[in-house]
Each structure stands twice: as structure tokens, then as C-alpha cells.
Amino acid sequence: MSDNVAHALSGAGGGIVSMALTYPLVSISSRLQVQKSDQDQEAYKNTLDAFVKILAKEGPKGLYAGLSSGVFGIAVTNGVYYYCYEAVKAVFEKAKGKGKPMSTAESMLSGAIAGSAVVLATHPIWTVNTRLTVRKGVDSEKSKKDNAFAVGMQILQKEGLAGLYSGVMAALVLVINPIIQYTVFEQVKNKISKVKALSNFDFFLLGAFSKLCATGITYPYIVVKSRMQVSQNPDERYTSIWDGFKKIIANEGIGGLYKGISSKIVQSVLTAAFLFMAKEMLFDWAVWVLVLVGARKARVAAAAAKA
């Protein structure tokens, strides 16, 4: 069995670790992104204000609303992404000859293919997670114990399959986010690895830096996507990505496109940093798990662990 499965398993594990550690920031940034008015008494003014108000009104559980779907979503997302990315990467490396790193263009193409596969496979999970997190489009009055499955069924019954794929076009545009992230990561890693052996802390810093670049560039699209994923009144609904941009700028100004960016950048950077570090630490374990279940030969596993 190729390294793709080991990369998928370690990527999924790293994603679970990073999501669990940073989820309160996910909740806060999601709520700030979909908030259209800052004038209401209960509106969140900034990250700290959101943190205090959520704690006061909902308790610690409010910061972890939708955690189960978020953890499941990140595990599937990273598993699919790393499997596809490594598969495409292997094709390029085989064509170029062993030991030759991918070019920037090849790295971006690998990211585009893997990212598109992830969006199509996992978008319904993130639609459910977004609604659970911000509590919009969820019949919480009927049940205080809403879970991901119940919310998913609510969306299917009221909006059909299209409801689960609300904002999918914005999500496909956002494939550029991991493209930027992994391209920066791979290119900087290749340069540094020529000078010294990379440590776990190096991977932490590389993950943080690459995600900072990606999130800073693509944040307005993230806001539009989040709003398209929640249930909205007909007169407020965005009919397209461009319509979302126009309505946000008209009603909230340019600043509306950057709501929650401070918490999102902190969350994204920390998530990516923990993800890359945890993935590298878990890769060897994933390889040996495959050996134990008979999906891989020990000799091949030892060679992969040294690579």
C-alpha cells in the first residue's frame, strides 16, 4: 500500500487535534462572519466581546456548539485532502524522477485537485457545522439537543439537497486557500530542508506562516461562504458570490468583508500550526498501524518512516 493512506490517516489525526484545541475560536469567528448588524444590543463588537457574551448567555458549551460535526468534518476533510494531494504529488514526482521536488505550478495544481475533491465530499458537513455553530436555520426552539444528524435532516426536509450545498461555489473558489497554504508550505520547506533537518517546531512555524498567507488573502470569500451556508430571509439571501460581495459592501461597507478576521486568523494560524506538527508526529504511527493490520509490509514501513 502506498504512503497515501498513511498521509490520510495522519492528516485526519492532526486535524482532530488542531480542531479540538482551537474550536472556541472557530465558533467566535463563524458568529462574527454571519453577523450583519453591529448595532443590536446582543451584537458582538469584537472577539473578546463575543467570548464574554457567549459565556454569559450559553456557558462554556456555547463555545463548543457543533464541535462533534467540526471534528468529524476536519477528519474527513484532511483525510481526503492528504490522500488526493499525495496521490497527485506522487504522479508528478514519478514523471520527473525520484528525489526532485515539485515546482510551484505542480504544487498548486495538486492543491487544486485535492481541494476540489474535498469541497464536493465534505461541503454538507460544513454547512451543518456552520448552522450549529451560529444557531441560524436550526430549530432550537423545538429541541435543545440538536445534533449534526438532526440539523442535516432539517435542512434536507426544508431546502432539499441544494440546502446542504449552500455556498458551494464560494467554497470551490476558496480552494485557492489551501493551494496558497500548501504551495507556500512546500516551497519554504524545500528551501529550509536544504540547509537543515526540520524539527516538529519548524513544521509548527511553517504551518502557521503558510496559513497566515492563505487566510489573509482569501478572507472576504470566507465571509461570503459562511453567510451563504446559513438560513436567510429571501430578501437577504445572496444569489451568487458577486451578489454577496455587492450586498455586504452596500450595507456594511468594506469592513463587512473582514468581520471576525482577527479571531479567524488566530484560529486558522494555530489550527494549521498544530495540524502540520501533529501530522508529522503521527505519520510514523499511521505507517505502523497499517503494518499491524496487515495493509503494509514492515520493510516498506521502515523505509517510509526514515523518508
Side-chain angles (χ1 to χ4, degrees):
M1 183 179 290
S2 68
D3 288 345
N4 300 352
V5 175
H7 280 291
L9 290 174
S10 59
I16 291 171
V17 171
S18 61
M19 178 64 78
L21 290 172
T22 63
Y23 197 78
L25 287 168
V26 174
S27 292
I28 290 171
S29 62
S30 294
R31 296 193 190 203
L32 285 168
Q33 285 163 14
V34 301
Q35 179 177 273
K36 296 183 179 180
S37 174
D38 298 330
Q39 305 306 315
D40 295 339
Q41 186 175 357
E42 295 185 356
Y44 306 131
K45 305 304 180 186
N46 50 49
T47 300
L48 180 60
D49 184 59
F51 180 81
V52 172
K53 286 181 177 177
I54 293 170
L55 272 182
K57 187 175 181 180
E58 306 170 41
K61 287 185 178 180
L63 294 170
Y64 289 90
L67 175 62
S68 59
S69 62
V71 168
F72 177 69
I74 201 68
V76 175
T77 294
N78 285 349
V80 173
Y81 188 91
Y82 276 107
Y83 184 89
C84 294
Y85 184 83
E86 293 297 329
V88 177
K89 179 180 175 181
V91 171
F92 282 128
E93 290 180 343
K94 185 177 180 180
K96 296 180 70 171
K98 194 172 182 180
K100 293 183 179 180
M102 289 193 297
S103 65
T104 301
E106 290 167 342
S107 183
M108 293 178 71
L109 180 58
S110 298
I113 294 172
S116 298
V118 165
V119 169
L120 296 176
T122 67
H123 193 78
I125 299 172
W126 293 115
T127 298
V128 169
N129 175 257
T130 298
R131 297 200 186 187
L132 275 170
T133 302
V134 304
R135 313 305 296 174
K136 284 192 175 184
V138 177
D139 293 334
S140 53
E141 297 82 2
K142 295 181 180 179
S143 173
K144 296 296 183 182
K145 297 181 179 180
D146 284 316
N147 55 46
F149 180 77
V151 172
M153 291 306 297
Q154 287 176 21
I155 296 172
L156 273 177
Q157 290 169 3
K158 291 183 176 181
E159 305 168 45
L161 188 61
L164 290 173
Y165 278 91
S166 298
V168 69
M169 292 307 297
L172 284 170
V173 171
L174 280 170
V175 166
I176 194 175
N177 186 295
I179 291 175
I180 296 170
Q181 178 186 355
Y182 286 92
T183 298
V184 171
F185 180 85
E186 288 287 343
Q187 298 307 312
V188 177
K189 183 187 76 172
N190 290 338
K191 292 183 182 300
I192 296 177
S193 62
K194 294 178 181 178
V195 180
K196 67 167 189 171
L198 294 169
S199 65
N200 290 329
F201 187 64
D202 288 325
F203 281 107
F204 181 92
L205 294 177
L206 280 171
F209 176 71
S210 60
K211 192 62 177 180
L212 177 62
C213 295
T215 300
I217 293 170
T218 62
Y219 193 77
Y221 278 100
I222 296 174
V223 172
V224 173
K225 177 183 73 71
S226 294
R227 295 193 181 187
M228 292 180 79
Q229 284 179 305
V230 301
S231 182
Q232 299 182 15
N233 296 326
D235 57 332
E236 296 179 336
R237 185 172 293 121
Y238 304 150
T239 57
S240 65
I241 300 170
W242 182 240
D243 183 57
F245 272 101
K246 288 194 297 183
K247 286 181 177 176
I248 291 173
I249 293 173
N251 297 321
E252 305 164 52
I254 296 295
L257 294 172
Y258 292 91
K259 282 188 173 178
I261 190 171
S262 59
S263 56
K264 181 63 178 178
I265 283 182
V266 173
Q267 176 263 318
S268 294
V269 167
L270 287 178
T271 297
F274 285 124
L275 164 63
F276 281 109
M277 185 174 70
K279 179 185 178 296
E280 292 302 319
M281 294 171 67
L282 291 172
F283 179 74
D284 291 350
W285 289 94
V287 169
W288 288 109
V289 166
L290 293 175
V291 172
L292 291 175
V293 299
R296 192 183 183 96
K297 294 181 180 180
R299 184 175 59 185
V300 178
K306 293 178 181 178

